[in-house]
Structure formats: C-alpha cells, structure tokens
C-alpha cells in the first residue's frame, strides 16, 4: 500500500494553462531525496497534498493539484490552478507559494525566485494609484530623476532639527526629504511634531524656489494607527506616506494602499528587513518577487539598490528590478525572472539608495536612466560646505550626466560639485 503520493504532483510533459500561476524555484534536496521527489513535495505541500495517501479523495481534487512541469538542474517550475487562490488576497498567495514549503526536511535549501501571474488573477488587485507619470505630474518634475535625502544621522534629531535639515535639502534643489526606516514617533521626535514642522518648512521652500517639495514621512505602526497617521499627513497637505512594507506585512500594506489612495497619498515603500530572506542565494525569497508583490499591491515606489553604493546587489539585479517595476510587459530572464504582462496595473518607480554621493551619480544613472527616485543622503550632508551645497552638487552631477560631460568637466564651472569631488572623488562605500 502506498504511503505518500508526491510523484503524482510531477508531470514533465504538462503544459500550464494561461490562467495558471507559474512559480520558479531554486531547490536542493536533502540527503537521500531524489530531485523529482523533492519538487513533487514542493508542489504537494503548496497545494492540495499531504504526507500520506488519503482514504477519501474526490476526483475533482485532481484539478486543484499543483503540477511540477519543468526540472532543470536545481531549478523547477510549478504551475498552480487559479482556483487555489482567493481573489485579491496577497497574504494567502504568500501562505501557499512561500509558506510551509520552506520548513520541509526533504529540502536542504529552497528559494522562491519569481511567479508569473495570469491576467485573471491580476485584475483583482489595484496596483499603484498614480503610476510614474502620475507622480511626475504631481511633483512637476520631468526629464530628470526625482531626488531625495534622509537627514543624517537617520535617527536622533529633534523634530525641529529634522525640519531644518529638510529645508536645506529642499533649498539645494531636491524634491523629497525622507524619514528612514527606524524613525516613526520617538520621544525626541514625535510624528505629529515632525509633520507640522516639516510642512512649515516645505511651504517656505516652495515659496522661495517656486518648486514643488514633498517628503516621505514614516507612518509605520499598527494598521489602524497607520491609517490615522496617513489622515494627519493629508491634513497638512502632504502627498506621500512612507511604510516599511516588509515589517508591516502585505495585509497592512494592502489596507493602506486603498486608504492612502482615498486621501491622495502615494506610498513610498522602504524594504527594511528584506535581506533577512533575500540575500541568501540558495534559500528564501528574492527581491524581484518582493518588488513584484509590492507593485501588485500598489506602492508608488520601492528601494531596489544601487549596485555602486554600500548595499549588496549587482548592476544586472538593479536593472532587472527597475524594469520589473517600470515596464508594462516584463520579459523572462534566464533563471532570474519570469515573463509578466501587467495588464492594467500601473508602473512604479525604483528607488536607488545606500552609500551614494555626487561622484557616483553618473554610474547610477547609467544603470537606471532617469525614471527613478535617487536618494543621496550622507553624500549631501557630509559635503564640506553643508547640506544645501551637497544637494546642489548632486543636482550638478545629474546635469553633467544629462549633458554628456564628465563630472570633472562640470566641476570646472560648478563649485559645489568640485568641493564634493575633493572629498569623495569616485569612492565606493563598503
């Protein structure tokens, strides 16, 4: 009598239907487990299977089984019937394709690389409210990257000090001032105080420059409190809210997407904690899947790395993530990305941040082009002449790239850039 039925979930001759979700996994079987059996166990545990054959199994259950249909080396593709998935429920999707399977003893390692989502599944999600063009129209910025900076140190300033640094950032030509991931509402910098004081400085900067200024103010907290904080932002004329989307979770982000949209707020998604599960190349979940999930839910932008700054990530990975967020149709890329047609889902901005300064700006723009949010923080606040000069130097670096000239050439007529290059040159932080 058979004990298990894992091989029933493997059919290398199977062709997925257009309405099925297809997942790409990297896997390593545990000692003594065959490759096909290991993949069968993934398909089983993530759909209708269990560890043993069952006494009663209605024939219709066969139509709900996941099917492992391609196994090449340590990579496998598994197709999932659409009926397995609740409409518009991102947490339920994660519970299936990224749930119990990571704890199976039959697998030494398992990594969810990507999922191709069918049109019928996507239609139940709203995606970003604005899209890249909507954000550009809102900010009145065209033909260049959007720019922003975190006051540094990223936590420790009073609300007044934070707002003053923000004012200098805006006056240097930047569009945004950004809270960092661990600044919410601390005893020395309460959320409400920061919102009010930043609004006052924003209005002053807008009046003096004639430019639209904004901020990514962190509302991350319990979900109902996040909703109240979003309302407070709207009351003070803000058009953005920032959420630490990984630690908040897909359920909270889904709720805040709709609430923020009703208030006219875009969501800046900080990816704090992502590397806990995506840095290991053999186990966990990839950043490209996280980025895809967040675009599906509806954030306006999410951090994707720099490739040249202080955080891990290659140029290829950064560009792959950027295109995943920006393009209407994503082409498959080897064992890194599956084909995806986004249908009516709008685009989202990639955000490049982490260890940047004016000397690295051209390299980042070579990778991303102009459709990104460029965050340069320590690299403006550490400028020898202060924050405003640092922001100005960064804008001059952007101009040099747009003009097709070197930074050294530009520095000949741009004092702030020249001073930045004197300090940092083309140094890459480690």
């Amino acid at each position: 009598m058979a004990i298990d039925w894992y091989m029933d979930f493997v059919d290398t001759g199977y062709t997925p239907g257009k309405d099925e979700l297809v997942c790409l996994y990297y896997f390593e079987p545990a000692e003594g487990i065959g490759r096909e059996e290991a993949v069968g166990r993934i398909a089983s545990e993530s759909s209708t299977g269990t560890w043993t054959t069952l006494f009663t199994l209605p024939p219709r259950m066969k139509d709900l089984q996941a099917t492992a249909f391609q196994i090449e080396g340590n990579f496998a593709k598994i197709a999932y019937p659409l009926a397995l998935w609740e409409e518009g429920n991102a947490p339920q999707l994660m519970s299936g394709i990224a749930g119990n399977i990571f704890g199976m003893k039959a697998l030494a390692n398992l990594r969810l690389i990507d999922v191709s989502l069918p049109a019928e599944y996507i239609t139940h999600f709203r995606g970003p409210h604005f899209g890249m063009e909507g954000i550009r129209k809102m900010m009145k910025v065209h033909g260049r990257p959007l720019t922003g900076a975190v006051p540094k140190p990223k936590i420790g300033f009073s609300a007044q000090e934070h707002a003053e640094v923000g004012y200098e950032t805006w006056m240097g030509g930047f569009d945004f001032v950004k809270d960092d991931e661990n600044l919410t509402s601390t005893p020395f910098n309460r959320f409400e105080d920061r919102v009010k004081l930043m609004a006052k400085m924003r209005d002053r900067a807008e009046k003096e420059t004639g430019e639209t200024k904004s901020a990514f103010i962190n509302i991350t907290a319990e979900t109902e409190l996040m909703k109240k904080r979003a309302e407070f932002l709207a009351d003070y004329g803000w058009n953005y809210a920032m959420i630490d989307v990984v630690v908040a979770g897909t359920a909270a982000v889904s709720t805040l997407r709709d609430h923020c949209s009703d208030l006219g707020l875009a969501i800046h998604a900080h990816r704090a904690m992502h590397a806990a599960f995506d840095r290991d190349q053999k186990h966990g979940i990839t950043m490209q899947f996280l980025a895809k999930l967040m675009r599906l839910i509806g954030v306006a932008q999410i951090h994707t790395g720099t490739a040249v700054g202080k955080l891990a990530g290659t140029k290829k990975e950064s560009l792959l993530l950027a295109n995943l967020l920006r393009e209407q149709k994503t082409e498959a890329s080897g064992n890194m990305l599956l084909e995806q047609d986004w249908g009516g889902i709008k685009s989202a901005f990639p955000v490049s941040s982490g260890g940047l300064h004016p000397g690295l700006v051209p390299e980042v723009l070579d990778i991303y082009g102009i459709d990104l949010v460029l965050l340069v923080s320590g690299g403006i606040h550490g400028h020898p002449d202060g924050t405003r000069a640092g922001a100005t130097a960064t804008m001059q670096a952007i101009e040099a790239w747009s003009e097709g000239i070197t930074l050294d050439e530009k520095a000949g007529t741009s004092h702030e850039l020249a001073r930045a290059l004197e300090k940092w040159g083309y140094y890459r932080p480690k």
Side-chain angles (χ1 to χ4, degrees), residues 216-429:
F216 310 141
I217 299 178
N218 192 4
I219 66 172
T220 304
E222 183 274 328
T223 306
E224 289 301 319
L225 180 53
M226 281 199 286
K227 290 167 68 175
K228 292 177 182 177
R229 287 179 175 174
E231 292 163 8
F232 195 77
L233 288 175
D235 288 343
Y236 279 84
W238 294 106
N239 52 20
Y240 261 91
M242 175 180 138
I243 301 175
D244 297 337
V245 294
V246 177
V247 296
T250 53
V253 177
S254 296
T255 297
L256 266 296
R257 185 275 178 206
D258 290 346
H259 193 66
C260 286
S261 293
D262 291 342
L263 296 168
L265 303 176
I267 294 176
H268 176 91
H270 195 294
R271 60 178 182 167
M273 206 181 80
H274 74 100
F277 55 77
D278 71 23
R279 189 169 181 177
D280 188 331
Q281 297 298 302
K282 294 183 176 182
H283 191 81
I285 300 171
T286 64
M287 183 60 212
Q288 56 262 37
F289 173 71
L290 175 61
K292 174 174 282 188
L293 188 64
M294 289 303 156
R295 178 178 177 182
L296 183 71
I297 294 172
V299 305
Q301 57 212 40
I302 186 168
H303 293 239
T304 54
T306 69
V308 299
K310 67 180 181 180
L311 302 178
T314 67
K315 292 182 180 181
K316 183 177 181 180
E317 289 168 344
S318 295
L319 183 58
L320 180 146
L321 289 170
N323 291 337
L324 175 63
L325 294 168
R326 299 185 299 202
E327 294 177 349
Q328 201 276 326
K329 289 185 178 180
T330 306
E331 300 296 327
S333 179
N335 286 317
M336 294 182 69
L337 202 66
L338 297 175
E339 182 178 294
Q340 183 64 59
D341 187 332
W342 285 98
I345 299 291
K346 292 180 181 177
S347 59
F349 273 110
V351 179
S352 182
S353 67
L356 296 180
H357 57 78
L360 296 178
V361 165
E363 289 190 70
V364 175
L365 298 184
D366 283 343
I367 297 169
Y368 282 97
I370 63 171
D371 282 328
L372 82 155
V373 178
L374 178 66
L375 298 182
V376 184
S377 302
I380 71 167
H381 304 308
H383 191 281
D385 301 321
T387 293
R388 188 183 303 205
T392 300
T394 302
M395 300 305 292
Q396 291 166 347
I398 293 171
E399 290 171 7
W401 182 85
S402 298
E403 294 163 2
I405 63 175
T406 67
L407 294 187
D408 289 330
E409 289 176 289
K410 184 71 171 179
T413 56
S414 303
H415 174 72
E416 293 85 359
L417 178 58
R419 292 278 284 160
L421 293 177
E422 286 175 10
K423 178 171 183 176
W424 293 298
Y426 302 93
Y427 171 71
R428 294 189 180 197

Side-chain angles (χ1 to χ4, degrees), residues 15 36 76 124 210 216 266 395:
T15 300
E36 286 200 1
H124 298 286
F216 310 141
M395 300 305 292

Side-chain angles (χ1 to χ4, degrees), residues 31-329:
E31 187 175 352
I33 302 293
R35 291 166 63 251
E36 286 200 1
E37 180 187 342
V39 175
R41 286 171 179 264
I42 299 169
S44 168
E45 184 65 29
S46 57
S47 63
T48 61
T50 187
W51 66 274
T52 185
T53 54
L54 300 174
F55 179 77
T56 302
L57 191 67
R60 61 182 173 79
M61 289 294 184
K62 183 71 175 176
D63 295 332
L64 292 175
Q65 287 185 196
T67 303
F69 66 93
Q70 182 176 305
I71 305 171
E72 295 181 352
N74 292 101
F75 295 92
K77 290 181 181 179
I78 300 176
Y80 294 86
L82 183 66
L84 285 174
W85 311 108
E86 181 182 352
E87 299 90 339
N89 190 333
Q92 190 250 356
L93 176 67
M94 293 289 283
S95 293
I97 64 174
N100 280 354
I101 52 177
F102 286 112
M104 298 176 72
K105 291 190 292 185
L107 296 166
N109 284 296
L110 178 66
R111 195 177 198 217
L112 171 59
I113 298 173
D114 194 17
V115 55
S116 182
L117 304 167
E120 190 172 342
Y121 185 79
I122 281 179
T123 57
H124 298 286
F125 292 85
R126 298 177 68 183
H129 177 93
F130 294 95
M132 290 192 299
E133 284 309 307
I135 296 296
R136 286 195 175 279
K137 183 178 179 181
M138 179 173 73
M139 294 302 298
K140 300 181 178 65
V141 173
H142 301 277
R144 66 163 174 83
L146 293 156
T147 54
V150 178
K152 295 289 185 177
K154 62 183 177 180
I155 191 165
F157 283 130
S158 68
Q160 181 64 42
E161 291 166 337
H162 187 103
E164 289 171 357
V165 174
Y167 171 75
E168 290 298 308
T169 300
W170 284 318
M171 292 304 295
F174 274 25
D175 306 301
F176 299 106
V177 177
K178 177 187 169 295
D179 289 356
D180 226 339
E181 74 278 5
N182 53 347
L183 177 61
T184 53
S185 188
T186 59
F188 50 83
N189 190 340
R190 289 299 182 195
F191 174 82
E192 293 80 7
D193 295 336
R194 189 164 70 255
V195 170
K196 294 175 185 178
L197 291 168
M198 287 286 285
K200 183 178 179 180
M201 289 298 189
R202 174 203 62 203
D203 294 346
R204 178 181 168 188
E206 287 186 338
K207 183 178 180 180
E208 293 176 358
T209 65
E211 300 167 351
T212 300
K213 305 295 183 182
S214 189
F216 310 141
I217 299 178
N218 192 4
I219 66 172
T220 304
E222 183 274 328
T223 306
E224 289 301 319
L225 180 53
M226 281 199 286
K227 290 167 68 175
K228 292 177 182 177
R229 287 179 175 174
E231 292 163 8
F232 195 77
L233 288 175
D235 288 343
Y236 279 84
W238 294 106
N239 52 20
Y240 261 91
M242 175 180 138
I243 301 175
D244 297 337
V245 294
V246 177
V247 296
T250 53
V253 177
S254 296
T255 297
L256 266 296
R257 185 275 178 206
D258 290 346
H259 193 66
C260 286
S261 293
D262 291 342
L263 296 168
L265 303 176
I267 294 176
H268 176 91
H270 195 294
R271 60 178 182 167
M273 206 181 80
H274 74 100
F277 55 77
D278 71 23
R279 189 169 181 177
D280 188 331
Q281 297 298 302
K282 294 183 176 182
H283 191 81
I285 300 171
T286 64
M287 183 60 212
Q288 56 262 37
F289 173 71
L290 175 61
K292 174 174 282 188
L293 188 64
M294 289 303 156
R295 178 178 177 182
L296 183 71
I297 294 172
V299 305
Q301 57 212 40
I302 186 168
H303 293 239
T304 54
T306 69
V308 299
K310 67 180 181 180
L311 302 178
T314 67
K315 292 182 180 181
K316 183 177 181 180
E317 289 168 344
S318 295
L319 183 58
L320 180 146
L321 289 170
N323 291 337
L324 175 63
L325 294 168
R326 299 185 299 202
E327 294 177 349
Q328 201 276 326
K329 289 185 178 180

